[in-house]
Amino acid sequence: MVIVTLQREKCIGCNYCAEFAPEFFRMSKKDGKSVLLKSTEKKGFHTLKTPLHHAFEPCEKAAKACPVNIITVKEI
């Protein structure tokens, strides 16, 4: 299981996440911030839980590239 979390309100719209992990992130046309696809939102944290183990590597690259460190990725 791969768990990806995004603090969307702190996003600065740099687009790195969408470049490194386009299967999981998109940039909103409305406000220019990152959107974690198929995620649930709770108290400002958008979380995606997926059994797809191939999600870890691109999402980890997106997390490391994020200049404001608002993406976390765990594999359990």
Side-chain angles (χ1 to χ4, degrees):
M1 177 74 67
V2 177
I3 301 171
V4 184
T5 304
L6 169 71
Q7 291 177 273
R8 191 170 186 281
E9 285 71 34
K10 295 181 180 180
C11 179
I12 60 170
C14 72
N15 198 45
Y16 286 138
C17 57
E19 286 181 34
F20 284 113
E23 189 177 340
F24 304 99
F25 292 93
R26 294 276 187 277
M27 299 309 290
S28 170
K29 290 185 171 125
K30 211 189 300 188
D31 63 6
K33 293 185 177 193
S34 178
V35 176
L36 180 57
L37 302 174
K38 299 178 184 169
S39 66
T40 56
E41 189 271 334
K42 188 174 182 181
K43 297 183 179 179
F45 289 86
H46 297 258
T47 304
L48 168 68
K49 294 179 182 178
T50 179
L52 304 173
H53 291 287
H54 77 272
F56 184 80
E57 189 178 335
C59 290
E60 179 73 7
K61 285 182 182 178
K64 287 181 178 178
C66 179
V68 287
N69 297 315
I70 58 169
I71 302 169
T72 58
V73 184
K74 306 192 267 201
E75 194 165 28
I76 55 171

